[in-house]
Amino acid sequence: SAFSNFGKYGGNAQGLNEYSPQGVKPVKAALVALIRNDDLYGMRQAIRELEDRWNHKYNYPYIFLNDKPFTSEFKQGIRDLTKAQVQFGILEPGTWGYPSWIDQEKAKKERETADYIKGHSESYRFMCRFQSGFVHKHPLLRDLEFYWRIEPDVHYYCDIDYDPFLYMKKNELKYGWNIAPDEYEPTVRTLWNTTKDFMQKNPQMIAKKNLLDWVSNPDGTYTKCHFWSNFEIVDLSLYRSPQYQAFFDHLDKAGGFFYERWGDAPIHSLAVAMFLQKSQVHYFDDIGYYHPAMSHCPKGSKTSGKCVCDPEKGWSNDFGCAKRWRSVS
Ligand code: GDP
Ligand code: MN
């Protein structure tokens, strides 16, 4: 089973030696969330589990970002849960809201007529644009090599007995994921055409060995497959690369964050598909995870004693896009 791979990078003596928490932190990395003050209790739940399952041994720092100042209640409520360093930051000017070229009347019309989830929300669109184009540029993340995105109201079901950051760094992995659904069409009506336009204009930016077969059907249409980015562990050099910046600028100019409701998940995933090859992308099958609506429970975890989820329910490897992932090379 997939779970028998587990010993290779953790959970046994050999794994612990290689990826042990002893000594200096081997990777410049942090757990990062964009978050509202109102999400304090959902985030406390997530941190409590992350600490108990993993970070009490590793003490990676946390970084929280907000478009509004954090309250002292929020800061204290987080700090109470960890001995790791915690930093709180406010967003940089220009990274939240509308860029100058957006027709705000047109954006408003879309919000009023949209009948998809969060379709009516303006702030949700600011959030998706920020997570797509700006989070990796925030001054608090400047020195980081990797980030692990965290969100309120998630669960971490299993012990994690190794350092996923170090695992990624040692294996030259750039992107780590664990759930891959397909996107809801009305939110990304023109995203694929806009991406194809980008590729036509910038063929030299596309990796020779790439993962476009994961996002593109044999007939050239969009599979809408994406990594669910509420969990992602990323080598930030991916998002800081000139090709990623060019891709984001191209999308931002097209306006689909506002004229539709493009999410950061399909955008990060399209970037992975264009700029990386499969050996640089890792499926964290061993990280049991729940975010409202979907979950991943490692196969075989029933007997390991490490997970509290039911592996008969919610194995993300059964999803169509995960199957497709296994078939691409
Ligand atoms: P979903 O996962 O797509 O349902 O979206 P969420 O509501 O969970 O939002 C994703 C992340 O962005 C969460 O960490 C939220 O706390 C955060 N977020 C969403 N909207 C806002 C906002 O308006 N301001 C701030 N500061 N954070 C936000
Ligand atoms: Mn969420």
Side-chain angles (χ1 to χ4, degrees), residues 278-302:
K278 203 171 184 187
S279 62
Q280 297 173 300
V281 182
H282 184 63
Y283 171 45
F284 277 103
D285 192 10
D286 54 331
I287 296 188
Y289 180 70
Y290 166 87
H291 175 287
M294 272 183 259
S295 66
H296 171 62
C297 190
K299 261 276 193 290
S301 59
K302 201 175 249 172

PDB file of all heavy atoms in Angstrom, residues 278-302:
ATOM      1  N   LYS A 278       7.522  16.273 -13.108  1.00  0.00           N
ATOM      2  CA  LYS A 278       6.895  15.470 -12.064  1.00  0.00           C
ATOM      3  C   LYS A 278       7.830  15.185 -10.891  1.00  0.00           C
ATOM      4  O   LYS A 278       7.392  15.150  -9.745  1.00  0.00           O
ATOM      5  CB  LYS A 278       6.356  14.160 -12.648  1.00  0.00           C
ATOM      6  CG  LYS A 278       5.258  13.586 -11.781  1.00  0.00           C
ATOM      7  CD  LYS A 278       4.549  12.423 -12.437  1.00  0.00           C
ATOM      8  CE  LYS A 278       3.392  11.950 -11.573  1.00  0.00           C
ATOM      9  NZ  LYS A 278       2.782  10.722 -12.108  1.00  0.00           N
ATOM     10  N   SER A 279       9.104  14.990 -11.157  1.00  0.00           N
ATOM     11  CA  SER A 279      10.033  14.660 -10.072  1.00  0.00           C
ATOM     12  C   SER A 279      10.216  15.814  -9.090  1.00  0.00           C
ATOM     13  O   SER A 279      10.803  15.640  -8.031  1.00  0.00           O
ATOM     14  CB  SER A 279      11.391  14.263 -10.648  1.00  0.00           C
ATOM     15  OG  SER A 279      11.941  15.354 -11.362  1.00  0.00           O
ATOM     16  N   GLN A 280       9.712  16.983  -9.412  1.00  0.00           N
ATOM     17  CA  GLN A 280       9.820  18.137  -8.510  1.00  0.00           C
ATOM     18  C   GLN A 280       8.553  18.355  -7.684  1.00  0.00           C
ATOM     19  O   GLN A 280       8.464  19.330  -6.929  1.00  0.00           O
ATOM     20  CB  GLN A 280      10.091  19.413  -9.325  1.00  0.00           C
ATOM     21  CG  GLN A 280      11.412  19.372 -10.083  1.00  0.00           C
ATOM     22  CD  GLN A 280      11.556  20.572 -10.993  1.00  0.00           C
ATOM     23  OE1 GLN A 280      10.752  20.803 -11.894  1.00  0.00           O
ATOM     24  NE2 GLN A 280      12.583  21.366 -10.755  1.00  0.00           N
ATOM     25  N   VAL A 281       7.569  17.478  -7.856  1.00  0.00           N
ATOM     26  CA  VAL A 281       6.272  17.665  -7.210  1.00  0.00           C
ATOM     27  C   VAL A 281       5.979  16.444  -6.352  1.00  0.00           C
ATOM     28  O   VAL A 281       6.157  15.307  -6.798  1.00  0.00           O
ATOM     29  CB  VAL A 281       5.170  17.851  -8.281  1.00  0.00           C
ATOM     30  CG1 VAL A 281       3.817  18.106  -7.619  1.00  0.00           C
ATOM     31  CG2 VAL A 281       5.523  19.009  -9.215  1.00  0.00           C
ATOM     32  N   HIS A 282       5.545  16.672  -5.118  1.00  0.00           N
ATOM     33  CA  HIS A 282       5.359  15.563  -4.187  1.00  0.00           C
ATOM     34  C   HIS A 282       3.935  15.474  -3.662  1.00  0.00           C
ATOM     35  O   HIS A 282       3.371  16.464  -3.198  1.00  0.00           O
ATOM     36  CB  HIS A 282       6.327  15.711  -3.006  1.00  0.00           C
ATOM     37  CG  HIS A 282       6.280  14.567  -2.056  1.00  0.00           C
ATOM     38  ND1 HIS A 282       6.632  13.280  -2.430  1.00  0.00           N
ATOM     39  CD2 HIS A 282       5.910  14.493  -0.757  1.00  0.00           C
ATOM     40  CE1 HIS A 282       6.475  12.468  -1.384  1.00  0.00           C
ATOM     41  NE2 HIS A 282       6.026  13.181  -0.362  1.00  0.00           N
ATOM     42  N   TYR A 283       3.405  14.278  -3.729  1.00  0.00           N
ATOM     43  CA  TYR A 283       2.098  13.986  -3.128  1.00  0.00           C
ATOM     44  C   TYR A 283       2.329  13.538  -1.686  1.00  0.00           C
ATOM     45  O   TYR A 283       2.902  12.471  -1.454  1.00  0.00           O
ATOM     46  CB  TYR A 283       1.419  12.892  -3.950  1.00  0.00           C
ATOM     47  CG  TYR A 283       0.155  12.312  -3.351  1.00  0.00           C
ATOM     48  CD1 TYR A 283      -0.831  13.131  -2.811  1.00  0.00           C
ATOM     49  CD2 TYR A 283      -0.061  10.937  -3.351  1.00  0.00           C
ATOM     50  CE1 TYR A 283      -1.991  12.591  -2.271  1.00  0.00           C
ATOM     51  CE2 TYR A 283      -1.222  10.380  -2.817  1.00  0.00           C
ATOM     52  CZ  TYR A 283      -2.174  11.216  -2.273  1.00  0.00           C
ATOM     53  OH  TYR A 283      -3.320  10.676  -1.739  1.00  0.00           O
ATOM     54  N   PHE A 284       1.895  14.345  -0.710  1.00  0.00           N
ATOM     55  CA  PHE A 284       2.062  13.989   0.696  1.00  0.00           C
ATOM     56  C   PHE A 284       0.949  13.043   1.124  1.00  0.00           C
ATOM     57  O   PHE A 284       0.057  13.409   1.894  1.00  0.00           O
ATOM     58  CB  PHE A 284       2.091  15.245   1.578  1.00  0.00           C
ATOM     59  CG  PHE A 284       3.442  15.908   1.636  1.00  0.00           C
ATOM     60  CD1 PHE A 284       3.695  17.060   0.914  1.00  0.00           C
ATOM     61  CD2 PHE A 284       4.464  15.357   2.401  1.00  0.00           C
ATOM     62  CE1 PHE A 284       4.950  17.667   0.969  1.00  0.00           C
ATOM     63  CE2 PHE A 284       5.718  15.955   2.463  1.00  0.00           C
ATOM     64  CZ  PHE A 284       5.957  17.115   1.740  1.00  0.00           C
ATOM     65  N   ASP A 285       1.062  11.821   0.638  1.00  0.00           N
ATOM     66  CA  ASP A 285       0.072  10.786   0.941  1.00  0.00           C
ATOM     67  C   ASP A 285       0.016  10.476   2.439  1.00  0.00           C
ATOM     68  O   ASP A 285      -0.994  10.004   2.955  1.00  0.00           O
ATOM     69  CB  ASP A 285       0.464   9.525   0.154  1.00  0.00           C
ATOM     70  CG  ASP A 285      -0.624   8.477   0.159  1.00  0.00           C
ATOM     71  OD1 ASP A 285      -1.755   8.780   0.602  1.00  0.00           O
ATOM     72  OD2 ASP A 285      -0.345   7.346  -0.274  1.00  0.00           O
ATOM     73  N   ASP A 286       1.113  10.738   3.145  1.00  0.00           N
ATOM     74  CA  ASP A 286       1.184  10.372   4.559  1.00  0.00           C
ATOM     75  C   ASP A 286       0.633  11.454   5.491  1.00  0.00           C
ATOM     76  O   ASP A 286       0.544  11.230   6.694  1.00  0.00           O
ATOM     77  CB  ASP A 286       2.645  10.073   4.935  1.00  0.00           C
ATOM     78  CG  ASP A 286       3.582  11.223   4.584  1.00  0.00           C
ATOM     79  OD1 ASP A 286       3.277  11.969   3.617  1.00  0.00           O
ATOM     80  OD2 ASP A 286       4.599  11.397   5.254  1.00  0.00           O
ATOM     81  N   ILE A 287       0.283  12.616   4.955  1.00  0.00           N
ATOM     82  CA  ILE A 287      -0.238  13.694   5.807  1.00  0.00           C
ATOM     83  C   ILE A 287      -1.766  13.676   5.768  1.00  0.00           C
ATOM     84  O   ILE A 287      -2.384  14.108   4.799  1.00  0.00           O
ATOM     85  CB  ILE A 287       0.337  15.071   5.383  1.00  0.00           C
ATOM     86  CG1 ILE A 287       1.862  15.068   5.601  1.00  0.00           C
ATOM     87  CG2 ILE A 287      -0.343  16.198   6.181  1.00  0.00           C
ATOM     88  CD1 ILE A 287       2.538  16.412   5.408  1.00  0.00           C
ATOM     89  N   GLY A 288      -2.363  13.128   6.841  1.00  0.00           N
ATOM     90  CA  GLY A 288      -3.822  13.095   6.931  1.00  0.00           C
ATOM     91  C   GLY A 288      -4.345  14.497   7.155  1.00  0.00           C
ATOM     92  O   GLY A 288      -3.844  15.214   8.029  1.00  0.00           O
ATOM     93  N   TYR A 289      -5.352  14.884   6.405  1.00  0.00           N
ATOM     94  CA  TYR A 289      -5.733  16.299   6.373  1.00  0.00           C
ATOM     95  C   TYR A 289      -7.214  16.452   6.090  1.00  0.00           C
ATOM     96  O   TYR A 289      -7.779  15.705   5.285  1.00  0.00           O
ATOM     97  CB  TYR A 289      -4.918  16.987   5.283  1.00  0.00           C
ATOM     98  CG  TYR A 289      -5.182  18.470   5.115  1.00  0.00           C
ATOM     99  CD1 TYR A 289      -4.776  19.379   6.087  1.00  0.00           C
ATOM    100  CD2 TYR A 289      -5.810  18.959   3.969  1.00  0.00           C
ATOM    101  CE1 TYR A 289      -5.005  20.741   5.929  1.00  0.00           C
ATOM    102  CE2 TYR A 289      -6.040  20.317   3.805  1.00  0.00           C
ATOM    103  CZ  TYR A 289      -5.631  21.207   4.788  1.00  0.00           C
ATOM    104  OH  TYR A 289      -5.863  22.554   4.626  1.00  0.00           O
ATOM    105  N   TYR A 290      -7.811  17.426   6.747  1.00  0.00           N
ATOM    106  CA  TYR A 290      -9.200  17.787   6.461  1.00  0.00           C
ATOM    107  C   TYR A 290      -9.309  19.301   6.348  1.00  0.00           C
ATOM    108  O   TYR A 290      -8.780  20.032   7.188  1.00  0.00           O
ATOM    109  CB  TYR A 290     -10.114  17.311   7.588  1.00  0.00           C
ATOM    110  CG  TYR A 290     -11.503  17.910   7.555  1.00  0.00           C
ATOM    111  CD1 TYR A 290     -12.521  17.313   6.808  1.00  0.00           C
ATOM    112  CD2 TYR A 290     -11.787  19.092   8.254  1.00  0.00           C
ATOM    113  CE1 TYR A 290     -13.794  17.882   6.765  1.00  0.00           C
ATOM    114  CE2 TYR A 290     -13.057  19.649   8.213  1.00  0.00           C
ATOM    115  CZ  TYR A 290     -14.048  19.049   7.462  1.00  0.00           C
ATOM    116  OH  TYR A 290     -15.301  19.616   7.411  1.00  0.00           O
ATOM    117  N   HIS A 291      -9.959  19.756   5.301  1.00  0.00           N
ATOM    118  CA  HIS A 291     -10.406  21.145   5.197  1.00  0.00           C
ATOM    119  C   HIS A 291     -11.880  21.049   4.877  1.00  0.00           C
ATOM    120  O   HIS A 291     -12.280  20.173   4.113  1.00  0.00           O
ATOM    121  CB  HIS A 291      -9.643  21.853   4.072  1.00  0.00           C
ATOM    122  CG  HIS A 291     -10.116  23.259   3.801  1.00  0.00           C
ATOM    123  ND1 HIS A 291     -11.315  23.545   3.169  1.00  0.00           N
ATOM    124  CD2 HIS A 291      -9.550  24.464   4.079  1.00  0.00           C
ATOM    125  CE1 HIS A 291     -11.449  24.865   3.078  1.00  0.00           C
ATOM    126  NE2 HIS A 291     -10.400  25.439   3.615  1.00  0.00           N
ATOM    127  N   PRO A 292     -12.705  21.919   5.474  1.00  0.00           N
ATOM    128  CA  PRO A 292     -14.144  21.790   5.249  1.00  0.00           C
ATOM    129  C   PRO A 292     -14.466  21.418   3.790  1.00  0.00           C
ATOM    130  O   PRO A 292     -13.996  22.078   2.876  1.00  0.00           O
ATOM    131  CB  PRO A 292     -14.664  23.181   5.614  1.00  0.00           C
ATOM    132  CG  PRO A 292     -13.727  23.632   6.704  1.00  0.00           C
ATOM    133  CD  PRO A 292     -12.381  23.056   6.334  1.00  0.00           C
ATOM    134  N   ALA A 293     -15.205  20.350   3.651  1.00  0.00           N
ATOM    135  CA  ALA A 293     -15.689  19.791   2.377  1.00  0.00           C
ATOM    136  C   ALA A 293     -14.904  18.579   1.877  1.00  0.00           C
ATOM    137  O   ALA A 293     -15.459  17.721   1.198  1.00  0.00           O
ATOM    138  CB  ALA A 293     -15.805  20.820   1.269  1.00  0.00           C
ATOM    139  N   MET A 294     -13.602  18.489   2.185  1.00  0.00           N
ATOM    140  CA  MET A 294     -12.844  17.345   1.655  1.00  0.00           C
ATOM    141  C   MET A 294     -11.742  16.939   2.615  1.00  0.00           C
ATOM    142  O   MET A 294     -11.228  17.767   3.362  1.00  0.00           O
ATOM    143  CB  MET A 294     -12.207  17.697   0.311  1.00  0.00           C
ATOM    144  CG  MET A 294     -13.101  17.427  -0.881  1.00  0.00           C
ATOM    145  SD  MET A 294     -12.259  17.777  -2.424  1.00  0.00           S
ATOM    146  CE  MET A 294     -12.952  19.377  -2.807  1.00  0.00           C
ATOM    147  N   SER A 295     -11.380  15.646   2.534  1.00  0.00           N
ATOM    148  CA  SER A 295     -10.321  15.199   3.423  1.00  0.00           C
ATOM    149  C   SER A 295      -9.439  14.161   2.746  1.00  0.00           C
ATOM    150  O   SER A 295      -9.806  13.585   1.717  1.00  0.00           O
ATOM    151  CB  SER A 295     -10.917  14.599   4.694  1.00  0.00           C
ATOM    152  OG  SER A 295     -11.614  13.414   4.382  1.00  0.00           O
ATOM    153  N   HIS A 296      -8.305  13.943   3.369  1.00  0.00           N
ATOM    154  CA  HIS A 296      -7.399  12.886   2.919  1.00  0.00           C
ATOM    155  C   HIS A 296      -6.962  12.062   4.124  1.00  0.00           C
ATOM    156  O   HIS A 296      -6.387  12.589   5.071  1.00  0.00           O
ATOM    157  CB  HIS A 296      -6.165  13.470   2.234  1.00  0.00           C
ATOM    158  CG  HIS A 296      -5.135  12.418   1.968  1.00  0.00           C
ATOM    159  ND1 HIS A 296      -5.396  11.339   1.145  1.00  0.00           N
ATOM    160  CD2 HIS A 296      -3.887  12.242   2.449  1.00  0.00           C
ATOM    161  CE1 HIS A 296      -4.333  10.557   1.133  1.00  0.00           C
ATOM    162  NE2 HIS A 296      -3.408  11.071   1.907  1.00  0.00           N
ATOM    163  N   CYS A 297      -7.255  10.767   4.078  1.00  0.00           N
ATOM    164  CA  CYS A 297      -6.845   9.871   5.145  1.00  0.00           C
ATOM    165  C   CYS A 297      -5.924   8.812   4.559  1.00  0.00           C
ATOM    166  O   CYS A 297      -6.323   8.071   3.658  1.00  0.00           O
ATOM    167  CB  CYS A 297      -8.078   9.202   5.770  1.00  0.00           C
ATOM    168  SG  CYS A 297      -7.664   8.317   7.287  1.00  0.00           S
ATOM    169  N   PRO A 298      -4.674   8.744   5.036  1.00  0.00           N
ATOM    170  CA  PRO A 298      -3.728   7.793   4.439  1.00  0.00           C
ATOM    171  C   PRO A 298      -4.240   6.359   4.459  1.00  0.00           C
ATOM    172  O   PRO A 298      -4.734   5.884   5.490  1.00  0.00           O
ATOM    173  CB  PRO A 298      -2.480   7.940   5.307  1.00  0.00           C
ATOM    174  CG  PRO A 298      -2.573   9.315   5.873  1.00  0.00           C
ATOM    175  CD  PRO A 298      -4.042   9.570   6.072  1.00  0.00           C
ATOM    176  N   LYS A 299      -4.112   5.665   3.361  1.00  0.00           N
ATOM    177  CA  LYS A 299      -4.456   4.236   3.279  1.00  0.00           C
ATOM    178  C   LYS A 299      -3.575   3.449   4.236  1.00  0.00           C
ATOM    179  O   LYS A 299      -2.391   3.719   4.345  1.00  0.00           O
ATOM    180  CB  LYS A 299      -4.160   3.724   1.869  1.00  0.00           C
ATOM    181  CG  LYS A 299      -5.357   3.623   0.944  1.00  0.00           C
ATOM    182  CD  LYS A 299      -6.148   2.344   1.082  1.00  0.00           C
ATOM    183  CE  LYS A 299      -7.121   2.140  -0.063  1.00  0.00           C
ATOM    184  NZ  LYS A 299      -8.257   3.053  -0.099  1.00  0.00           N
ATOM    185  N   GLY A 300      -4.150   2.511   4.920  1.00  0.00           N
ATOM    186  CA  GLY A 300      -3.342   1.677   5.806  1.00  0.00           C
ATOM    187  C   GLY A 300      -3.117   2.302   7.166  1.00  0.00           C
ATOM    188  O   GLY A 300      -2.515   1.699   8.041  1.00  0.00           O
ATOM    189  N   SER A 301      -3.630   3.504   7.372  1.00  0.00           N
ATOM    190  CA  SER A 301      -3.346   4.183   8.632  1.00  0.00           C
ATOM    191  C   SER A 301      -4.123   3.577   9.800  1.00  0.00           C
ATOM    192  O   SER A 301      -3.827   3.844  10.952  1.00  0.00           O
ATOM    193  CB  SER A 301      -3.659   5.680   8.520  1.00  0.00           C
ATOM    194  OG  SER A 301      -5.009   5.889   8.190  1.00  0.00           O
ATOM    195  N   LYS A 302      -5.105   2.720   9.486  1.00  0.00           N
ATOM    196  CA  LYS A 302      -5.912   2.095  10.538  1.00  0.00           C
ATOM    197  C   LYS A 302      -5.039   1.298  11.506  1.00  0.00           C
ATOM    198  O   LYS A 302      -5.265   1.294  12.705  1.00  0.00           O
ATOM    199  CB  LYS A 302      -6.931   1.160   9.875  1.00  0.00           C
ATOM    200  CG  LYS A 302      -8.127   0.847  10.730  1.00  0.00           C
ATOM    201  CD  LYS A 302      -9.146   0.016   9.954  1.00  0.00           C
ATOM    202  CE  LYS A 302     -10.392   0.807   9.663  1.00  0.00           C
ATOM    203  NZ  LYS A 302     -11.322   0.128   8.763  1.00  0.00           N
TER     204      LYS A 302
END
